[in-house]
Every structure is written in structure tokens, then in C-alpha cells.
Amino acid sequence: MDHQVKRIGVLTSGGDAPGMNAAVRAVVRTAIGSGIECIGIRRGWSGLINSDFFPMDTGSVSHIIDKGGTILYTARSEEFLGAPGRDKALATCKLLGLDGIVAIGGDGTFRGALALSRQAQEAGHRLQVVGIPATIDNDIGCSNYTIGFDTACNTAIECVDKLRDTMQSHERCSVVEVMGRHAGYLALYVGISVGATAVLIPEREVDFDRDIVEKIRRARLMGTTHYMVVVAEGAGSAVDIGRLIHDEIGIDPRVTVLGHIQRGGSPTARDRETASRMGYEAVMSLCAGKGNRIIATQEGRMVDLDMEEALQMTKPFQMDRYQILEALTSTGRFPL
Ligand code: F6P
């Protein structure tokens, strides 16, 4: 059978992440350099359903490596979750003569890609998909790192540093909620990097007395008069935590929910470089006739994994880093 790849599609799906544009650029330029035509699909899987696409050339991706967001737009498509929606998407793939699709996003994006590829196979159409992990949450089990995480950490750190200036001046307590969906990576890295008084993550059951009250008390006993509490959105609401702090300790915290600001901004060197390598590897994988792969980083190396197996993988949470965080907080105790 002729597996030669002649034309591929590229899309971004799910929550945007800084570095997605760098990945799109790498896919398009690697494809064109390999003699493969590249079609940009707008608004994720919805673009395939609604025939929302355009041919891309090397110029289409000029001057985007430094831009946050995604020039392809992104969406979460309800319709694509069902077989009829995917049939419509397949019809577009057939019409365009796509041999493969590079899907840049999170695990929801990859599950959709796999379902589409299987449905294509059942219909006698060969459609290879390759996933590139991109989410600020860093919550994809098969990959140590996901594009966008480093930029989001840096953005959040910059915000928290600014908050600290005013908290310090007014001798206040700040409760900051960071994103991460069900994962605590952002909160953990931000907490370590800003020297937080306390950090709440979903991977560790929250004991309010141990994790907040005691830490603030000890910090106060050591002479600190301002406190920085970082809450992962998956661990609870900063507003609720702020209220509890007020009721239990009698101080009047200020609550900040950083929200979508964490998803924007020019990608850092790490995100641009990782995205460029992943985009390149994704096209190489398609050229090698491999299908249904996810490009991932494992122990510092870039690997391509079988998509179905990769979707089953979990990564252990970095509790060693939580221990470091505990050691460095003002409690002076790290009882893990
Ligand atoms: O997955 C990225 C993320 O920003 C999560 O951290 C957050 O929970 C979610 O997306 C927010 O989604 P939306 O942009 O739909 O509000």
C-alpha cells in the first residue's frame, strides 16, 4: 500500500496555550520542506465539521513564533464527540484528500483524534493522526512537559510578585488562585518560585489547620507580616479559602483569581523550542508512515508514542517538589 503522505491538516483544539503558534509554524514549515501540502483547519475539530480551512504556505506562519494564542483559533466541539459529527469531519478530510492531521492540544483533543482515525479506518479511509501536547496545565500523562506550561508559570509568577509588593506594604495576606484544571503543577511551580507561605494542590488532601492556619501562624512567629497563599483551582476556591482565613485567624485577606491572563502572552524560550521540536517530530512521524502517535517528552528526550497507549499513561505527581516547597516555607518543618 502507498503510504506516501501528500497533504496534511493542522489544527489547535481545547484551551489555547502559549507556544501553539510555534508548533503550527514548525508543522507547516517541516511539511512544506518535505514536499507535503499543508491545510490549516480553523477552530479545532469544529473547523473540520464546518469546512473551515485554508491552504498554508511558509509565509502563512511568518512572524508568529513570538505570538501567544493561536492563529488557527481554537474551540471545544460538542458535535465532534458524537459519531455523526465525526462523519461530517471525515467527509471534509476525504474532500480535501488529507492523509494525516496534526492536532495540537490536550488529552480531549487526542481522544477526538483517535476516534476520528478509527472511524476513518472503518470507512476504508486511511487517516493518520499525530498529537502534540499543549496545555498550560501540564496534565498529560504521557508527557513530562506540555507546551505553554513554562510561559503560564512565568506569567503567574510576575503577577504574584506584583501582588507581593502591595501585600508587603500593607502587611496583608494574599490568596491567589491559579489555573491547572484538576492538576496542581502550576500552583506547585508558582508556589516554589514566589516563596509562598502555603500552597494548596488537588494531589494532596487539604487540611486547613495544617496547610494554612499553622503556616501563617508560624510565619507570623518568625516575624513575617505578609503571607502569600497559592491555591490551585482544582484544590478549592480562593474566595472560600480567603473567607476561612478571615474566620479562623481573624486577618482580612485579599483574594485574586488570576484567571485567563495565565493563558496569554509571548511564549518563553522553553515553549518556543519545545513546540518547534514537537512540530518537526510530528511531521517526521507522519513521513515515516507512523500513525496515531503522540509526540511527548520523557526524561528529557522527545519520543513518539502509540496514541492509544499514551492516552492510558499517567504520570506520578512531583511530590518531591512539594517536599522542597514544604522545606522552604517559613514553617521550618517538612513532615512528609
Ligand atoms: O486547560 C486549560 C485551562 O485554562 C484550565 O487551566 C482551566 O481550568 C480551563 O482551561 C478554563 O477553560 P475555559 O477557557 O473554557 O474557561
Side-chain angles (χ1 to χ4, degrees):
M1 205 193 290
D2 176 18
H3 290 331
Q4 204 199 335
V5 180
K6 298 188 185 75
R7 190 173 298 123
I8 62 169
V10 57
L11 58 83
T12 51
S13 173
D16 64 336
M20 276 184 162
N21 279 329
V24 172
R25 173 180 178 271
V27 169
V28 172
R29 296 224 164 143
T30 309
I32 289 170
S34 312
I36 299 169
E37 286 177 48
C38 201
I39 308 292
I41 296 152
R42 296 190 189 90
R43 301 177 180 86
W45 300 117
S46 315
L48 270 187
I49 293 174
N50 303 317
S51 294
D52 191 1
F53 53 77
F54 64 106
M56 298 186 86
D57 57 28
T58 52
S60 336
V61 290
S62 293
H63 311 302
I64 65 167
I65 198 165
D66 58 330
K67 302 283 185 296
T70 161
I71 61 159
L72 294 178
Y73 303 99
T74 184
R76 296 186 174 104
S77 171
E78 285 288 316
E79 196 178 355
F80 192 74
L81 296 177
R86 288 196 297 272
D87 272 338
K88 287 190 203 165
L90 268 184
T92 308
C93 294
K94 276 190 196 164
L95 178 74
L96 294 176
L98 294 185
D99 304 302
I101 293 180
V102 178
I104 304 165
D107 49 7
T109 304
F110 305 150
R111 270 183 250 285
L114 192 58
L116 183 73
S117 168
R118 284 190 180 142
Q119 212 160 306
Q121 201 176 5
E122 282 162 21
H125 177 73
R126 186 179 156 88
L127 180 74
Q128 303 287 40
V129 291
V130 180
I132 295 182
T135 160
I136 65 161
D137 304 333
N138 200 26
D139 62 348
I140 296 181
C142 67
S143 192
N144 293 151
Y145 188 75
T146 63
I147 296 166
F149 178 67
D150 187 57
T151 309
C153 281
N154 280 292
T155 302
I157 288 165
E158 199 185 325
C159 293
V160 176
D161 285 347
K162 285 180 175 155
L163 277 171
R164 186 184 287 287
D165 290 344
T166 169
M167 293 303 136
Q168 203 159 18
S169 305
H170 283 265
E171 301 178 285
R172 275 175 173 155
C173 172
S174 184
V175 185
V176 190
E177 184 178 309
V178 299
M179 279 188 167
R181 202 182 289 273
H182 306 300
Y185 291 100
L186 255 179
L188 181 64
Y189 278 62
V190 170
I192 291 175
S193 307
V194 302
T197 315
V199 178
L200 303 184
I201 53 169
E203 291 79 2
R204 189 172 192 241
E205 201 182 334
V206 177
D207 176 326
F208 188 73
D209 274 343
R210 178 195 63 196
D211 298 333
I212 303 275
V213 178
E214 204 41 38
K215 288 194 170 160
I216 290 178
R217 284 203 179 120
R218 289 193 153 263
R220 181 70 193 92
L221 283 170
M222 289 174 73
T224 306
T225 55
H226 69 279
Y227 320 99
M228 185 60 69
V229 178
V230 176
V231 182
E233 65 173 337
S237 138
V239 173
D240 294 343
I241 301 291
R243 200 172 296 124
L244 274 172
I245 289 175
H246 175 267
D247 295 348
E248 294 287 320
I249 315 181
I251 55 177
D252 189 17
R254 293 293 183 270
V255 174
T256 308
V257 178
L258 290 185
H260 288 81
I261 200 158
Q262 295 160 98
R263 289 231 300 256
S266 181
T268 59
R270 181 171 190 189
D271 283 326
R272 295 182 197 197
E273 196 263 351
T274 307
S276 300
R277 284 166 65 206
M278 285 184 165
Y280 172 85
E281 292 298 340
V283 176
M284 286 297 126
S285 181
L286 285 172
C287 287
K290 295 188 203 170
N292 301 356
R293 315 294 292 179
I294 292 180
I295 308 298
T297 60
Q298 287 189 348
E299 285 145 24
R301 283 185 320 115
M302 203 139 289
V303 291
D304 72 302
L305 307 167
D306 174 78
M307 192 177 262
E308 191 172 356
E309 286 173 18
L311 284 172
Q312 309 298 322
M313 291 179 185
T314 51
K315 55 181 175 191
F317 189 73
Q318 298 167 335
M319 274 304 172
D320 53 334
R321 282 184 170 75
Y322 193 82
Q323 196 155 357
I324 291 168
L325 177 87
E326 290 276 282
L328 301 181
T329 53
S330 45
T331 63
R333 293 197 297 184
F334 34 104
L336 286 183

